[in-house]
Structure formats: structure tokens, C-alpha cells
């Protein structure tokens, strides 16, 4: 049985550090989604993450740090990278930066690349890393290819028979994963839209961010989270729906009804008031709930593409992509 410990319990932080010191993964809340965390310097611990998730191959992981000193021990910051870290950390921005000589992030966490993805999370996750004293590698705490978890219960449902400890910090504030940005000197490339809108990063950088097109699967700079089919619910997803089909579950946006909704198996709304932040925070939970109704399909209304809408539409497109 998986143990679930609330982060508000006084003993939780130390209990988690004990498990991490043994080289075992722990599911932890972050402001984006729940992560499956383990010592980023320990190959056995990292291998345990891949095993629990059932990742088909060794995709690189994000290393999470508690402060700039820890980050600078492992990767190199160009002046622009340092400015972006200053502007957005702690928070949902991941920077892909060159590895530093003498750094301790294990090649299993970087998949042997000469860069590492690094992020400083908010709140409890950051306290845990500070207490542990080393970076934590953490992908989203779901079985490979499934919808990312935004509650401890989601994690327990998906990985409960494969891991020993889930820390419960309630619902994730942001609800979609971090924005991943490659920073090569002054060159900025978007590897994954996410919790910080690209427009905001461009403003802080005073520069335009390149958006690489679809890439070959073995391109080293590509984020494998960009593989087409991902976040897959069991039911088939239909995007930009304006009308409901019999037996479908409906996911609205902005309180706008779809035609023929009275036939629907269930009706939900990402944000009745049309707030993209609320929609991002609800996205994965509603996908799971719609799936759990046993509907033949899920019809999703269109969501605006600006701000957090870019990340929402990215995740919806993956969830709707043909399965291999
Ligand atoms: O919000 C998040 O980012 C969450 C929480 C737990 O922090 N984590 C997360 O991790 O979404 P994951 O493993 O699901 O996605 C990490 C992405 C992958 O698509 C991976 O390919 C990319 O980061 N990545 C990691 N290292 C990279 C590198 N050196 N170069 C390019 N992409 C990299
Ligand atoms: Mg993931």
C-alpha cells in the first residue's frame, strides 16, 4: 500500500528525506503538477523513476534545485539565462542550459546530453530540495503517456502499486507543466509551452523566442514531451467541438453550451468565467473525470490560444493525437 502523507504534517519533510536518502523515489506536489522525485546525482535512484513510470526509453529529466547556488554548481548560466532565472524563479519555467564541468547531475538524468533542464519550484518542493541538499530529478508522476497528475489522489490512482510514498499538497496551483526554454548564450528556443506564457518571457528577455517546428524524434534538443501522442485518456478526444454527439462527455470553456448537450453523458467547464489560469488548473482533472464517466468520446470546446491558452491547446492536441 502506498503511504500518503500531508505536507502540513510536521514529520513529512523528514520522512521524505529519509526515503530519498535510501535512493527511492517520492511523489511530491509542485506548483505545476505532481512530480516523481529522486536524487538527480544517483543513477539507481533515477533508474527507479523510469521503472515506476514505465518510460519506454531514457528521456532526459528536469533537475529541480532550491537556490541559485545549487543550480550554478551543475549548469552554466549565460547573462540572459541568469536574468530569466532571476525574473521567473521560483516558478514554472525550466531552462535547458550547458552542463558545467564537475557538476554532479548524473547522465541518466540528462540522457547523456551536454545540457540539463533545470527548474526551481515553489513552496514545499523547494523546501524539500533544500533539506535534501541535492537536486531532485522529477518527471510528472504518472505512468508514461498518461495524463499528468494535479492531486495526490491522481498519483495514487496511477502509480499507487509502484511507489511507496506520495506527499499530499492539495491541488496544484498552475495545473500544466513548466514552460521549457533552451538558452544557448543569447539564443532562446521554446521546447514546450507551459505554466509561464511565452509572451511574458519575451518581455523579460527583450528578445524573440524561436519556436522550432516538428522535429525528428532523435533530435537531441527536442523535448520528448513533444512526442505527438501523450496525455492520452482512454476515450477519444474531439477538439474545437461546437456540437455534442450522443454518449460524449462535454468539456466547455467560458460557460458556453454546445449544441445538443442534453444528449451528453456529462457536462463540465474548464472555466465558466473564461479565465485561462483557472482552465489550466482544471485541465488534467477534468480530462480524467470525463474519461471516468465511461463516455465513448470527449468533446472539448475551443480555448483561446494566448497566454496560458498555448499550453492548454498543446496538451489538448497531444491528448487528441492518434495513438501508436
Ligand atoms: O512542471 C514540470 O516541468 C514538471 C514538474 C514535476 O516539475 N515536470 C515535467 O517533467 O513535466 P517531464 O519529465 O514530464 O518533462 C520534462 C521534459 C521532457 O519533455 C524532456 O524531454 C525535456 O523536459 N528535457 C529534459 N532535459 C532536456 C534537455 N537537456 N534538453 C531538451 N529537453 C529536455
Ligand atoms: Mg510528463
Amino acid at each position: 500500500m502506498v503511504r500518503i502523507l500531508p505536507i502540513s504534517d510536521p514529520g513529512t519533510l523528514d520522512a521524505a528525506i529519509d526515503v530519498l536518502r535510501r535512493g527511492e523515489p517520492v511523489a511530491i506536489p509542485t506548483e505545476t503538477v505532481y512530480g516523481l522525485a529522486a536524487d538527480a546525482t544517483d543513477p539507481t535512484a533515477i533508474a527507479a523513476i523510469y521503472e515506476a513510470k514505465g518510460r519506454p526509453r531514457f528521456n532526459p529529466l528536469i533537475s529541480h534545485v532550491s537556490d541559485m547556488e545549487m543550480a550554478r554548481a551543475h549548469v552554466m548560466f549565460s547573462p540572459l539565462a541568469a536574468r530569466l532565472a532571476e525574473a521567473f524563479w521560483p516558478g514554472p519555467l525550466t531552462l535547458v542550459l550547458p552542463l558545467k564541468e564537475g557538476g554532479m547531475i548524473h547522465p541518466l538524468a540528462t540522457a547523456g546530453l551536454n545540457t540539463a533542464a533545470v527548474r526551481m519550484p515553489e513552496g514545499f518542493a523547494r523546501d524539500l530540495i533544500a533539506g535534501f541538499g541535492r537536486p531532485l530529478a522529477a518527471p510528472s508522476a504518472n505512468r508514461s503517456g498518461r495524463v499528468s497528475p494535479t492531486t495526490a489522489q491522481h498519483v495514487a490512482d496511477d502509480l499507487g502499486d509502484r511507489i511507496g510514498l506520495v506527499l499530499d499538497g492539495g491541488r496544484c496551483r498552475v495545473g500544466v507543466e513548466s514552460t521549457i526554454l533552451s538558452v544557448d548564450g543569447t539564443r532562446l528556443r521554446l521546447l514546450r509551452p507551459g505554466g509561464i506564457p511565452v509572451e511574458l518571457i519575451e518581455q523579460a528577455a527583450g528578445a524573440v523566442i524561436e519556436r522550432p517546428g516538428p522535429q525528428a524524434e532523435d533530435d537531441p534538443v527536442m523535448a520528448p514531451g513533444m512526442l505527438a501522442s501523450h496525455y492520452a485518456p482512454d476515450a477519444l478526444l474531439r477538439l474545437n467541438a461546437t456540437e455534442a454527439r450522443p454518449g460524449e462527455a462535454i468539456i466547455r470553456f467560458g460557460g458556453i453550451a454546445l449544441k445538443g448537450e442534453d444528449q451528453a453523458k456529462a457536462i463540465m467547464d474548464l472555466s465558466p468565467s473564461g479565465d485561462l489560469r483557472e482552465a489550466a488548473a482544471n485541465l488534467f482533472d477534468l480530462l480524467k473525470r470525463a474519461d471516468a464517466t465511461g463516455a465513448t468520446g470527449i468533446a472539448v470546446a475551443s480555448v483561446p490560444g494566448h497566454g496560458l491558452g498555448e499550453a492548454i491547446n498543446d496538451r489538448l492536441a497531444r491528448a487528441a493525437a492518434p495513438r501508436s
Side-chain angles (χ1 to χ4, degrees), residues 28 30-36 53 55 59-64 92 94 96-97 109-111 113-119 121 138-142 148 176-180 182 191-192 220-227 230-231 315:
I28 63 167
T30 83
E31 74 277 34
T32 57
V33 299
Y34 277 72
L36 188 59
K53 282 187 61 91
R55 273 216 192 193
N59 293 342
L61 304 177
I62 298 171
S63 293
H64 298 70
T94 294
V96 173
L97 302 173
T110 58
L113 300 173
N114 54 12
T115 55
V118 180
R119 155 168 129 78
S140 50
N142 51 277
S148 295
V176 292
E177 299 86 344
S178 60
T179 304
I180 305 182
S182 154
L191 301 186
R192 178 179 75 185
V221 85
M222 171 179 119
M226 308 205 41
L227 290 178
H230 211 77
Y231 307 101
R315 305 305 188 268

Side-chain angles (χ1 to χ4, degrees), residues 65-101:
V65 298
S66 53
D67 55 46
M68 278 308 283
E69 193 189 339
M70 186 184 285
R72 286 188 186 280
H74 305 284
V75 288
M76 295 189 291
F77 287 78
S78 68
L80 177 56
R83 240 181 40 235
L84 291 174
E86 169 75 20
F88 295 107
W89 284 359
L93 175 66
T94 294
L95 299 174
V96 173
L97 302 173
L99 285 174
K100 181 172 170 180
E101 197 163 336

Side-chain angles (χ1 to χ4, degrees), residues 1 38 40 42 54 59 96 98 100 139 147 156 170 182 216 225 242 247 257 267 276-277 284 287 317:
M1 268 301 284
D42 175 354
N59 293 342
V96 173
K100 181 172 170 180
V147 177
S182 154
T242 52
I267 301 172
L276 287 168
R277 269 182 296 185
F284 292 142
L287 283 176

